[in-house]
Amino acid sequence: MKILFIIENGLQESLGVASIIAYISRTGGHTADVVLYSHVKDIFDYIKTTKPDIIGFSIVTGSHRFAYSLGKKIRSESVIPTIAGGPHATYYPEHMAESGAFDYICRGEGEVPLATLLNSLSKGENVTDIAGLWINFSGTWHKNPIGHLLEDLDSLPFPDRSLFFKYPFLKNMSLKRLITEIGCPYPCTFCHAPLYKQEMLGKGRLHRQKSPQYVIGEIESIQGIAPLNSIHFSDDTFGHDLKWLKEFANIYKDTIKLPFTCNARADTNMEAIGLLKSAGCVGVQIGLESGSKRIREELLKKYWTQEQAVEVCRAFKKVGIKLMATNMIGLPSETLEEALSTIQLNATCGVDFARCNVFLPHPALQLTKWAQENGYIDKNYSIDDFDAAPLNPIVKTPHREQFINIANLFSLSVKKGLMKGPFGKLLLNSKPNNLYNFIGSLNLMQEFRFFNLKLLPALDYFRNTIGNPLGFKYGAWPTDRVGKK
């Protein structure tokens, strides 16, 4: 059978879809295709030309409206069944079922359920009892529980990225992403990890990691089909297992020898810092999140101290590893002073680059539920109200406009102290405006420097994904073409 995956745009090729494509090919001999909606003139002509047996969507919350709209249109105009998976399907299946857009919903990890579905459909067998799938059969949803987790990630074939790399701007991008593990041991309330633990409880070992040898093989598989100058490991926290990191560092520096970046914590072990440096790490993204001890501990469940953060950041810088700090403002109950303290924490830590996002309250998050219970978000707030716009604080606060200004001026304030003194107060209390938006958009230039991106491939990538390298709008072309011919 042939499955067509429709991806809204190429902002990030889906590693989950690439893994599923490789798995269904190996276990059932099925074929796949990937199309970027943003890069096809008429999706329905494409479907008619390529003749898939089933159409798939991998959905993250925020892109669900696009998938719902297109899925409903496909179901109304053809008999080709649709299936949707991804994080949104795992955490909001009822909402997806009610959308009328899909025949199948895949919850949890998709490799085994999708392969089982395709195998059964190709043989004309019953499909209503496949673990991990919700099946719409004659208007009734058969809601099967999530199946057991794959224990051995090394048993999976390397993700097949070739269908994404048919787009030159993805293939030629000098940086490629990898994930070495599934699951995160930390309880951060603004993250999906606690939700994942809750949904997968009793389904097997939650935290699983690919062996260093597998990771090296996966990198070499990319080198065989595309340019590769640097790597970003997108694990929530890379290399927190010292035994694993020691083995990885020894192999990586002798074989791959490429610079890489990764995500780390503000309480990173000092030995780990040395191992990362020896392996070839040139930059870490470190989640400082908030300068307020109250916010970090009581709301976010991050239990490191400011002294730890400063010590760790200085240790990274001492060995020549660049720091990109990630931060949040507009958090429930956050005061203006606490938001400004986040700027000061970044300055004290001496970070090289500073990102700042406004808190996006996904309805299923623990922090969102706390905010609803305590009156900072409406109790009837739901997925229908969710807005992924980067500068739209949803939390009730008297400081909404100041938070928007802080987000736009954050990086410049860390480096130049803009928010200090009378001038800083004037900047802070001004109405949000296009000048501030423009300054905020320049933060994207940090990505070029932190990730050591090669200029021409990076410019081509950003032109084909966000449209304007100096803007916040995602999607090379507007996706309101859904439903139009």
Side-chain angles (χ1 to χ4, degrees), residues 37 109 120 137 141 167 203 276 295 371 379 400 434 437:
Y37 180 83
E109 296 168 7
S120 298
F137 185 74
W141 281 97
Y167 295 97
K203 303 300 181 181
L276 288 169
I295 292 284
K379 288 189 181 295
R400 186 178 189 279
N434 288 334
N437 290 338

Side-chain angles (χ1 to χ4, degrees), residues 72-141:
K72 284 191 286 188
K73 186 67 174 174
I74 290 171
R75 292 189 78 211
S76 70
E77 297 206 1
S78 78
V79 295
I80 301 173
T82 57
I83 182 170
H88 189 75
T90 298
Y91 306 129
Y92 305 103
E94 294 285 357
H95 193 261
M96 292 182 66
E98 293 168 1
S99 72
F102 312 109
D103 298 285
Y104 306 96
I105 296 171
C106 181
R107 303 186 64 224
E109 296 168 7
E111 287 87 352
V112 174
L114 185 55
T116 305
L117 175 66
L118 296 180
N119 292 340
S120 298
L121 288 175
S122 65
K123 298 173 183 176
E125 297 175 346
N126 175 52
V127 299
T128 57
D129 60 352
I130 298 174
L133 294 185
W134 285 19
I135 297 100
N136 186 354
F137 185 74
S138 299
T140 299
W141 281 97

Side-chain angles (χ1 to χ4, degrees), residues 211-329:
S211 69
Q213 293 83 0
Y214 182 99
V215 175
I216 298 302
E218 184 176 343
I219 295 170
E220 290 172 341
S221 74
I222 299 171
Q223 289 177 315
I225 61 173
L228 183 62
N229 300 102
S230 60
I231 294 167
H232 179 68
F233 292 105
S234 295
D235 307 45
D236 293 327
T237 305
F238 179 76
H240 54 84
D241 181 332
L242 278 179
K243 181 181 178 182
W244 185 94
L245 184 57
K246 287 177 183 177
E247 186 179 357
F248 169 82
N250 287 331
I251 301 173
Y252 186 92
K253 66 186 178 184
D254 291 336
T255 54
I256 303 301
K257 302 177 183 178
L258 288 176
F260 69 86
T261 54
C262 62
N263 301 323
R265 281 176 57 91
D267 54 1
T268 298
N269 181 285
M270 291 297 168
E271 185 179 357
I273 294 174
L275 289 169
L276 288 169
K277 176 63 179 178
S278 71
C281 179
V282 296
V284 295
Q285 293 186 132
I286 193 162
L288 295 182
E289 312 306 355
S290 175
S292 163
K293 183 175 184 291
R294 180 189 74 86
I295 292 284
R296 289 197 308 269
E297 294 187 359
E298 295 181 18
L299 267 67
L300 307 183
K301 306 305 179 188
K302 281 183 169 282
Y303 296 110
W304 46 261
T305 66
Q306 178 163 324
E307 290 73 23
Q308 280 180 296
V310 172
E311 181 183 14
V312 165
C313 287
R314 289 176 179 173
F316 273 120
K317 289 177 67 69
K318 186 176 180 180
V319 298
I321 294 177
K322 295 177 294 187
L323 291 174
M324 168 80 84
T326 58
N327 304 271
M328 285 188 295
I329 58 170

